[in-house]
Amino acid sequence: VTSQWTERPGSQAALHLSNQRRVLEQLVSGSGVTQAQAARETGLAPATVSNIVRQLAALGAVEVRDTGHGKVLHLTRGAGLVVGIDHGHRHLTLAVADRASEVLAERRVSLAPNLPAEQGLREAERLLDAALEEIDEPRSAVVGLGLGLPAPVDRTGEVGAPSILPGWFGCNAVALASARFGLPVAVDNDANLGALAEHTWGAGRGAESIAYVKLSDGVGAGLVLDGQLFRGRDGTAGEIGHISTDEFGAVCRCGNRGCVETVIAARHVLELLEDHLGPGQSIASVVARAEQGDSACLRVLADTGRQAGMAIASLCNVFNPERIVIGGEFLLSPLRELVRRHGIPSATAGLQIVRAELGPRASVMGAVAIALRTAPLIGSH
Ligand SMILES: [Zn+2]
């Protein structure tokens, strides 16, 4: 099966392009990389790097700036723009970035739940046109697109799990989005994208392995192992929200009973507090109340943290990550306590549990990151 996530191997031209990608990746991840650093980091011969840089500069994609401490390479807008889209259950966020991952324009709108895929993409296209107009760039400047969905996505781009994102189930999201936008597209699960972004730019920086735990309308984890996303064969790795902790518990949308998600997903937390707070609340307002000392809100958030802690302890026993990055409104102290209690000491002794740094932007930034990888190389067409 051809995978949307791996490069096709092959010819001399393919080798040149893969070298170019390695050089570009250096420029994407570090601002102000010198030619010598790029050669060291990629392991390519200095002459090879110098050829690639000369070719990129001739195409207007790279600028060489003399800083006084040596010549530093910068990717310019001429290298093309990419689009990242985070399509949630109830929101759509879109970011347009340059190839150095700097976001130039960003838009966010609310969505009706269970929107069919075609309608979601139409909405994304409307946001894209508005964002491009804001920065005065044509559609032709965009060279790649990354899309995040709150459901398992396999290597061909097919969306699995019928009841989790009904509007997209059975669709090939890569095919649908490339047909609509006329661009190369990569699609991944939103928790995976959050993990990728936190690992690249946020609280997971510098760690070899992290688990990024996301709490929103769903509960999931994205896993980075040896610096790479670990997705499993069908893209379902890290679905900790569906660890069952109570055989006779509530029926989950996955079809199982007593899943962690049936206790801690945002909508269930709000349901518990509806009599107390009234309808139409958000997790943010529950946290604000808890901070003011509201005992019911404190109690519910503590219980949520404990349930999450149990699921995270299981994840640590199996996966033994270096760092857990928490993306969502959990109280950290009950969560830490339960991880220590249920985790094997050797799996949790050196474990760091930290808050995410990118907040609700993590998934859209991860979509930008995969868009950068899928964008064709410069001068290749
Ligand atoms: Zn479930």
Side-chain angles (χ1 to χ4, degrees):
V1 185
T2 323
S3 168
Q4 52 158 335
W5 294 311
T6 50
E7 283 190 54
R8 292 143 197 64
S11 61
Q12 199 58 35
L15 176 67
H16 173 75
L17 290 178
S18 105
N19 286 345
Q20 191 198 60
R21 186 178 295 283
R22 282 157 76 184
V23 172
L24 281 173
E25 274 168 5
Q26 288 306 311
L27 303 187
V28 166
S29 56
S31 55
V33 174
T34 67
Q35 213 157 292
Q37 280 166 337
R40 230 178 4 253
E41 293 293 324
T42 55
L44 295 171
T48 307
V49 173
S50 150
N51 273 334
I52 290 170
V53 168
R54 199 172 319 122
Q55 184 210 13
L56 292 174
L59 292 162
V62 163
E63 231 173 57
V64 184
R65 294 181 200 158
D66 206 332
T67 59
H69 309 283
K71 287 180 178 160
V72 167
L73 309 174
H74 282 274
L75 282 168
T76 65
R77 270 199 204 189
L81 304 178
V82 294
V83 180
I85 298 169
D86 169 28
H87 187 308
H89 287 286
R90 289 157 200 275
H91 74 270
L92 189 71
T93 309
L94 176 140
V96 177
D98 64 16
R99 285 233 205 193
S101 355
E102 191 186 325
V103 173
L104 306 172
E106 196 168 334
R107 303 266 159 151
R108 185 182 174 96
V109 288
S110 299
L111 292 182
N114 299 331
L115 207 60
E118 279 295 350
Q119 252 173 283
L121 289 174
R122 234 188 342 260
E123 187 64 13
E125 192 173 31
R126 200 181 60 75
L127 290 192
L128 174 61
D129 288 337
L132 287 173
E133 199 181 317
E134 178 193 325
I135 57 171
D136 200 21
E137 291 282 354
R139 272 284 275 271
S140 59
V142 179
V143 293
L145 185 145
L147 169 65
L149 294 172
V153 178
D154 78 7
R155 66 193 64 209
T156 68
E158 196 166 305
V159 181
S163 49
I164 290 185
L165 193 62
W168 288 75
F169 172 64
C171 293
N172 187 299
V174 170
L176 276 184
S178 0
R180 170 149 298 267
F181 291 94
L183 289 168
V185 169
V187 184
D188 209 333
N189 167 267
D190 61 346
N192 286 351
L193 294 182
L196 184 63
E198 287 288 342
H199 184 256
T200 312
W201 297 294
R205 271 190 322 273
E208 276 186 8
S209 56
I210 69 163
Y212 166 77
V213 179
K214 183 174 176 171
L215 170 73
S216 59
D217 282 320
V219 178
L223 310 176
V224 172
L225 188 58
D226 291 332
Q228 300 291 320
L229 268 178
F230 178 77
R231 301 178 172 93
R233 194 196 63 177
D234 298 309
T236 42
E239 291 286 348
I240 60 165
H242 302 284
I243 292 176
S244 175
T245 53
D246 178 3
E247 227 189 314
F248 304 107
V251 174
C252 180
R253 60 195 173 129
C254 76
N256 200 350
R257 293 187 71 171
C259 292
V260 169
E261 190 177 289
T262 63
V263 185
I264 68 173
R267 60 185 184 284
H268 299 300
V269 171
L270 296 175
E271 234 171 66
L272 280 177
L273 286 162
E274 199 169 314
D275 282 350
H276 177 63
L277 298 178
Q281 301 290 327
S282 66
I283 289 289
S285 65
V286 172
V287 171
R289 296 277 193 119
E291 278 165 357
Q292 289 156 17
D294 182 302
S295 60
C297 290
L298 270 168
R299 168 70 193 269
V300 166
L301 285 179
D303 292 347
T304 307
R306 291 160 62 87
Q307 280 284 334
M310 276 172 68
I312 291 169
S314 302
L315 182 72
C316 289
N317 290 348
V318 176
F319 174 60
N320 190 201
E322 184 179 333
R323 201 175 294 165
I324 302 282
V325 177
I326 302 294
E329 303 290 353
F330 291 108
L331 295 182
L332 287 194
S333 53
L335 188 150
R336 285 197 173 109
E337 187 197 318
L338 268 282
V339 171
R340 302 266 179 264
R341 187 186 304 169
H342 294 283
I344 299 166
S346 63
T348 57
L351 178 73
Q352 303 161 334
I353 301 179
V354 298
R355 279 209 191 278
E357 288 174 6
L358 302 175
R361 296 181 73 230
S363 295
V364 78
M365 289 308 296
V368 165
I370 58 166
L372 285 165
R373 291 179 188 177
T374 183
L377 293 161
I378 296 157
S380 67
H381 53 285

